[in-house]
């Protein structure tokens, strides 16, 4: 099977709008089950594969996602380019609700996750170069496609990956800001590193659902508002990817 692009959908993106001739693919992996079936089909004249990171009913919290199985399944189906769509909180002032960011760096604050395919007995130990965690050419393609589609997108930013599923304290966000983080999310790692181990091109479309704790004007973060902002940003994703595939 020839897959032109694989998309991993985050919170709010559980199926891919506009996917035609869709077929469900159940892929067995050496690392257990993926988050669900991979759905393949035609989009913008190309073959696209879609996988809902949290499951189609959002049944998997961030720390329980089988990231290894997800990446392996997409790789097994022939994907070579992967876009991870991630719901995030904004730390930097210009990264407020409904803003779309294509980050270029990541800091990993997660713990207890399977972070490498090397964790399996007898596997080859790979020391990947992760100085640039996202594939530069794919990032450029996403940004150019967003411009063609008329969708504003910020070029660059540091994604801080936290454990979840709870949101962060004000003190934690203040520390992350001191560390240089511009965004905070719960699913950016180990996904990016695993993609690199499989030699996949990988980039992130970060959709800002809310300001992180202490960064906006609101005293308390409303889950209802988060999902309203997320729905608005998510609606722009197919436009960007259609422009990229058609480009």
């Amino acid at each position: 099977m020839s897959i032109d692009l694989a998309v991993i959908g985050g919170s709010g993106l559980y199926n891919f709008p506009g996917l035609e001739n869709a077929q469900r693919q159940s892929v067995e992996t050496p690392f257990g089950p993926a988050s669900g079936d991979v759905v393949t089909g035609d989009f913008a004249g190309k073959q696209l594969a879609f996988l809902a990171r949290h499951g189609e009913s959002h049944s998997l919290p961030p720390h329980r996602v089988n990231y290894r199985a997800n990446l392996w399944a997409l790789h097994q189906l022939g994907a070579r380019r992967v876009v991870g769509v991630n719901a995030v909180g904004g730390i930097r002032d210009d990264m407020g609700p409904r803003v779309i960011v294509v980050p270029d760096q990541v800091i990993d604050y997660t713990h207890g996750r399977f972070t490498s395919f090397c964790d399996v007995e007898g596997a080859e130990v790979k020391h990947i170069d992760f100085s640039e965690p996202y594939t530069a050419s794919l990032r450029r393609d996403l940004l150019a496609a967003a411009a063609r589609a008329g969708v504003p997108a910020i070029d660059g930013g540091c994604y801080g990956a936290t454990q979840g599923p709870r949101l962060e304290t004000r003190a934690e966000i203040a520390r992350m800001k001191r560390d240089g983080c511009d965004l905070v999310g719960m699913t950016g790692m180990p996904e990016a590193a695993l993609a690199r181990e499989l030699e996949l091109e990988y980039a992130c479309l970060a959709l800002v659902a809310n300001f992180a704790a202490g960064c906006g004007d609101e005293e308390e973060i409303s889950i209802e508002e988060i999902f309203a902002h997320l729905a608005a940003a998510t609606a722009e994703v197919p436009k960007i990817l259609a422009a990229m595939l058609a480009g």
Side-chain angles (χ1 to χ4, degrees), residues 173-198:
I173 294 299
R175 180 191 68 163
M176 294 177 72
K177 188 173 184 177
R178 291 193 298 270
D179 287 349
C181 294
D182 303 301
L183 302 163
V184 56
M186 304 173 188
T187 54
M189 287 292 286
E191 193 170 276
L194 292 168
R196 181 63 53 84
E197 285 192 2
L198 290 176

Side-chain angles (χ1 to χ4, degrees), residues 1-5 40-42 46-49 74 76-80:
M1 178 181 295
S2 176
I3 301 294
D4 295 292
L5 181 68
T40 60
D42 301 318
K46 299 292 177 64
Q47 187 73 193
L48 184 142
L74 295 173
Q76 189 74 12
L77 287 175
R80 293 297 176 266

Side-chain angles (χ1 to χ4, degrees), residues 45-187:
K46 299 292 177 64
Q47 187 73 193
L48 184 142
F50 176 79
L51 177 62
R53 185 185 290 112
H54 297 281
E56 293 177 2
S57 60
H58 199 104
S59 57
L60 295 167
H63 63 298
R64 297 292 298 276
V65 171
N66 192 338
Y67 296 93
R68 292 190 302 181
N70 288 351
L71 270 300
W72 188 272
L74 295 173
H75 180 264
Q76 189 74 12
L77 287 175
R80 293 297 176 266
R81 307 182 94 199
V82 179
V83 172
V85 181
N86 299 77
V88 298
I91 297 176
R92 209 167 83 188
D93 291 344
D94 61 341
M95 295 182 180
R98 306 192 181 198
V99 168
I100 296 175
V101 184
V102 183
D104 61 347
Q105 278 296 325
V106 65
I107 297 177
D108 188 4
Y109 299 94
T110 66
H111 53 85
R113 301 183 183 190
F114 288 108
T115 60
S116 171
F117 293 107
C118 303
D119 290 335
V120 178
E121 186 71 28
E124 177 189 357
V125 177
K126 291 185 177 181
H127 299 284
I128 57 170
D129 178 2
F130 206 53
S131 54
E132 301 294 334
Y134 304 109
T135 304
S137 59
L138 186 51
R139 288 189 64 257
R140 286 194 298 269
D141 288 349
L142 283 172
L143 290 162
R148 290 196 301 272
V151 178
I154 294 178
D155 179 3
C158 182
Y159 180 126
T162 59
Q163 183 71 356
R166 67 168 177 83
L167 299 178
E168 300 74 28
T169 68
R170 288 172 181 262
E172 287 169 332
I173 294 299
R175 180 191 68 163
M176 294 177 72
K177 188 173 184 177
R178 291 193 298 270
D179 287 349
C181 294
D182 303 301
L183 302 163
V184 56
M186 304 173 188
T187 54

